[in-house]
Amino acid sequence: MSATAHNLSTKNKRQKKRIVYVDENAPKRPRTAYVHFVNARRKELTESGSHEALRQRSFLADIGKQWKVLPDDQKKFYIDKSAKEHAEYEKAMEEYKKTEAYNQFKVKKEGLMKQRMLELKKRKSDVKSDDDEEEDKNEAVVAGDIPIFSKEFLAYNKNQESKCKKLRKMVSALQEEKDLLKADIAKLSERMKLIYGHQSGAAQWSTKIKQRWTKLLVDALAYVSVDGEYPTSQNIDTYMKKLKQLVTENPSSKDLIAVRMALSEVNFT
């Protein structure tokens, strides 16, 4: 990486901060329960004349410890206070979003964001150009300034051969990984075929079982009507539902006696 690119990269790392676009006309954001507690403690210390405690570096750390051990019933006061502020803020924001000031802020914010995106793209482009230019210079130096068969040339050639070996090893390793992935994919494909085959076989078996039972029931109950309906292969499901309803609602029905007699002669094995 060139010196310019390095400097820009270092500078970017130092300046990489979250940019917050502040709308000065917007309602004031609600405070958390903890902030309310801190403000209350600060006020107590101020009124009691304990100004020295406020100036101590450990003030906020001590307040944090006090907040952690504060009983829930006392915390509730600050939590409710924060919740009330939050509700008021949400309501105020809904009204504010209907104003022209909010629309102007949105337009301004979008413009600033677009401008920043363009600046970042330009900065990245400049860094890339510097890197390419530096590499071109290095290649030019190698090609034009090293005498052939000199020590420098042989050292350069050896270095290039070493790079080629590393690249070949990398390609070989990638090829092995590719072959392993192919083998794994092939195994998965075979397993999927087996799974789908089992599912298909199970579905076919289920269909055959259903067809067999349908035939048995239709043949056995061919002369037994339920609610004026005789069983067929087309209406067997409806017929059985009616039969179930009859068993539930009128278990002493004469039709059920005929059903029992008919089914007693069926061989279900």
Side-chain angles (χ1 to χ4, degrees):
M1 183 182 288
S2 65
T4 306
H6 176 72
N7 291 337
L8 277 173
S9 177
T10 306
K11 187 177 179 181
N12 288 343
K13 288 179 181 178
R14 288 199 302 266
Q15 294 181 348
K16 192 173 182 181
K17 295 180 180 178
R18 182 185 175 190
I19 296 178
V20 180
Y21 301 94
V22 180
D23 185 0
E24 296 178 354
N25 298 315
K28 188 177 179 181
R29 295 185 67 84
R31 290 165 290 183
T32 64
Y34 176 69
V35 171
H36 279 295
F37 175 71
V38 172
N39 291 342
R41 290 290 295 125
R42 185 180 281 114
K43 184 179 179 182
E44 290 174 6
L45 291 171
T46 302
E47 291 176 352
S48 64
S50 303
H51 300 289
E52 187 64 29
L54 291 171
R55 288 193 289 268
Q56 294 291 332
R57 291 185 178 181
S58 60
F59 169 71
L60 288 177
D62 293 339
I63 292 293
K65 292 177 182 177
Q66 292 175 25
W67 174 255
K68 285 182 180 179
V69 299
L70 193 70
D72 291 341
D73 57 337
Q74 294 183 34
K75 274 187 181 180
K76 187 177 183 301
F77 170 77
Y78 301 103
I79 292 171
D80 292 344
K81 197 172 183 179
S82 176
K84 183 181 178 183
E85 270 192 12
H86 190 82
E88 292 173 351
Y89 170 77
E90 291 291 336
K91 186 176 180 181
M93 275 301 296
E94 286 182 8
E95 294 298 323
Y96 175 65
K97 286 180 180 179
K98 300 175 184 177
T99 64
E100 184 62 26
Y102 177 72
N103 292 331
Q104 291 177 0
F105 170 73
K106 279 180 65 178
V107 172
K108 182 180 178 181
K109 180 181 177 181
E110 289 173 1
L112 291 171
M113 290 176 70
K114 287 180 181 178
Q115 183 180 351
R116 176 162 175 77
M117 289 299 296
L118 290 172
E119 289 176 356
L120 290 173
K121 286 182 179 179
K122 186 177 183 302
R123 192 178 298 170
K124 288 180 180 179
S125 177
D126 291 343
V127 170
K128 188 176 181 181
S129 299
D130 290 341
D131 287 342
D132 293 341
E133 184 179 348
E134 190 73 21
E135 288 178 4
D136 292 340
K137 287 180 180 179
N138 291 337
E139 290 296 328
V141 169
V142 170
D145 292 354
I146 300 179
I148 192 168
F149 298 127
S150 63
K151 289 183 179 179
E152 292 84 356
F153 177 82
L154 294 174
Y156 172 77
N157 192 43
K158 185 177 180 180
N159 183 45
Q160 295 301 310
E161 286 181 357
S162 176
K163 288 181 179 179
C164 287
K165 285 181 180 178
K166 289 180 180 178
L167 286 173
R168 282 194 290 269
K169 285 183 179 179
M170 189 182 298
V171 170
S172 178
L174 289 172
Q175 185 62 44
E176 288 180 3
E177 288 184 10
K178 181 181 176 182
D179 294 339
L180 289 172
L181 284 172
K182 279 186 176 180
D184 289 340
I185 290 171
K187 289 179 182 178
L188 285 172
S189 298
E190 290 298 324
R191 289 179 183 175
M192 292 301 293
K193 287 178 182 178
L194 288 173
I195 290 170
Y196 286 129
H198 288 317
Q199 289 179 345
S200 177
Q204 291 176 2
W205 177 253
S206 176
T207 302
K208 288 180 180 179
I209 293 293
K210 184 177 180 181
Q211 290 174 349
R212 180 173 179 274
W213 276 86
T214 299
K215 187 176 185 306
L216 284 172
L217 290 171
V218 169
D219 291 345
L221 303 172
Y223 301 103
V224 180
S225 68
V226 175
D227 196 17
E229 185 176 7
Y230 292 91
T232 65
S233 58
Q234 287 76 28
N235 73 347
I236 188 64
D237 291 334
T238 306
Y239 179 87
M240 294 304 293
K241 286 180 182 178
K242 289 182 178 180
L243 183 59
K244 180 181 178 182
Q245 185 177 0
L246 182 63
V247 171
T248 305
E249 296 177 355
N250 190 9
S252 60
S253 172
K254 293 181 180 180
D255 291 336
L256 289 180
I257 297 174
V259 169
R260 291 191 188 98
M261 290 179 64
L263 292 178
S264 65
E265 298 178 2
V266 177
N267 182 13
F268 291 102
T269 58

